[in-house]
Amino acid sequence: MTNDTPSAAGTSLLRDSARRTLELEQQAVAALSERLDDAFDHACRLILACRGRVVVTGMGKSGHIAGKIAATLASTGTPAFFVHPGEASHGDLGMITRGDVVLALSNSGETAEVTALLPLLKRMGTPLISMTGRPDSTLGRHADAHLDAGVEREACPLDLAPTSSTTAALALGDALAVALLESRGFTAEDFALSHPGGSLGKRLLLRVADLMHQGHRLPAVPLGSPLRDALLEITRQGLGFTCVVGEDGRLAGVYTDGDLRRTLDQHSDLSTLSVDDVMTRPGKRIAPDTLAAEAVRLMEDGRISALAVVDADGRPIGALHMHDLLASGVI
């Protein structure tokens, strides 16, 4: 099929249309940085001083963007939630308190459901931050701080469907959330606390103590035990190694599946061997309060699949296997 066929020409037109859309939206977002002014700082200060929640509201497509901004704020250290402006006028306004800050989105700044909230917010004394495309609009003029998210035109060829304007509002909301995040000194561990089910949360929250085998599941034999006893313990617990414990209760070493292969290479008669003769001293070990992610690094660097977990006195209290880390989602 040549490039002159209708199918090929149609495909090219589709890509051209997509590129125009992306270019227009890229320009809309790039123009935002030039319009950041003292109002942005004031909006940040209002939120940082807020003792309640940031209540984000908007109608239609702006409402969808408002919901995403609320979710981003909430996950980055700024408690926030979305309230539908139509529902607010029919009872949900009770969700907003004097200690809150309201962030209202409307490209025109004249959305009836949103502007209807103005007298009630003023009466409550709740600070209002508006994000519109028209600073001289009703919403823009009555806000304590106005964020200009205006665009020259929509990416829609009819200049009607919210496209560039919603992209710009979303980007400005992200800029607000990140500025607040950095001002609060929000850390990756703080982020993990609000994302405990995600992979980042697991890497930053799970400790070795949360995953280790302990009690009767801890493979261990006394120092001086016949090698046969160590092999039986490895088989019984199924973790690929056993701790070797001295008379003082401290970890003297470990004996692993890898050690067994080396033992078979070097000794023809295993019946006379003690575990002391062939174990690895002092053996890789880790503390129970260590991050599980650090245990992964230690295993990978040492090319091992299990670790002894010891307390502050060097006494074995648990065992951690690579399979435990895989099952927990840390890896």
Side-chain angles (χ1 to χ4, degrees), residues 254-286:
V254 296
Y255 191 73
T256 70
D257 288 339
D259 291 325
L260 174 59
R261 287 190 289 273
R262 285 186 288 274
T263 301
L264 292 172
D265 286 340
Q266 298 169 8
H267 301 271
S268 57
D269 183 9
L270 305 186
S271 61
T272 61
L273 291 176
S274 163
V275 70
D276 309 31
D277 302 325
V278 289
M279 70 179 186
T280 297
R281 300 173 184 265
K284 295 288 185 182
R285 58 192 69 199
I286 197 167

Side-chain angles (χ1 to χ4, degrees), residues 33-34 57 75 127 146-147 155 162 213 259 266 294 296 314 331:
S33 61
E34 299 175 4
T57 189
S75 68
H146 176 260
L147 303 179
H213 301 270
D259 291 325
Q266 298 169 8
E294 176 64 17
V296 174
I331 302 176

